[in-house]
Amino acid sequence: MAGIVRKSFDAADETRPFEDGKGRLDLLTSGGGPVGRAVFEPGWQWSKHVKPIAGTDSCQAAHVGYVVSGRMKVVMDDGESTEFGAGDLMEVTPGHDAWVLGDEPCVAIDWSGFGDYAKPSGG
């Protein structure tokens, strides 16, 4: 393995589109595991635009990531909720829905939960 590896999300190893053109996940593979950049377009909601792909009642991915831009609301299955915005570190356990707030895309980098995200039988 090389001592230095450089990759770009603009030339992702894999891209997974969300339903209705409401965004995409750009995925890079690394020695430490997958790293994803998701672009959630205004109007995106997990239960509308990823649930049909994942086939689960709520998102079952555990996320540890960083919000680059935009805003998102996350609601856990038990009703707990919060909002994330640009500059926030996010940690979210499995069992949630989420949606974009406002009219700006929400862009997030996730190094924990995007390996199987927006993939059949995934988060």
Side-chain angles (χ1 to χ4, degrees):
M1 179 175 161
I4 298 175
V5 175
R6 181 182 179 273
K7 292 188 170 194
S8 171
F9 285 113
D10 294 330
D13 295 321
E14 182 180 355
T15 296
R16 299 179 191 154
F18 302 145
E19 296 283 313
D20 301 327
K22 288 294 183 179
R24 70 184 185 282
L25 169 64
D26 298 317
L27 198 63
L28 298 175
T29 55
S30 76
V35 179
R37 174 185 68 182
V39 178
F40 304 101
E41 296 293 341
W44 175 89
Q45 183 170 0
W46 185 92
S47 55
K48 294 177 185 173
H49 302 104
V50 180
K51 180 179 179 174
I53 300 166
T56 56
D57 289 335
S58 60
C59 181
Q60 296 303 305
H63 302 285
V64 177
Y66 175 79
V67 180
V68 176
S69 62
R71 295 196 61 74
M72 178 177 288
K73 181 163 187 166
V74 177
V75 178
M76 303 301 295
D77 290 349
D78 68 4
E80 179 184 5
S81 69
T82 195
E83 295 179 12
F84 294 102
D88 287 343
L89 172 76
M90 62 178 188
E91 288 189 61
V92 182
T93 58
H96 57 273
D97 193 6
W99 55 89
V100 171
L101 298 171
D103 57 3
E104 178 186 352
C106 182
V107 177
I109 306 295
D110 187 319
W111 50 87
S112 173
F114 280 167
D116 291 326
Y117 191 81
K119 195 172 168 179
S121 298

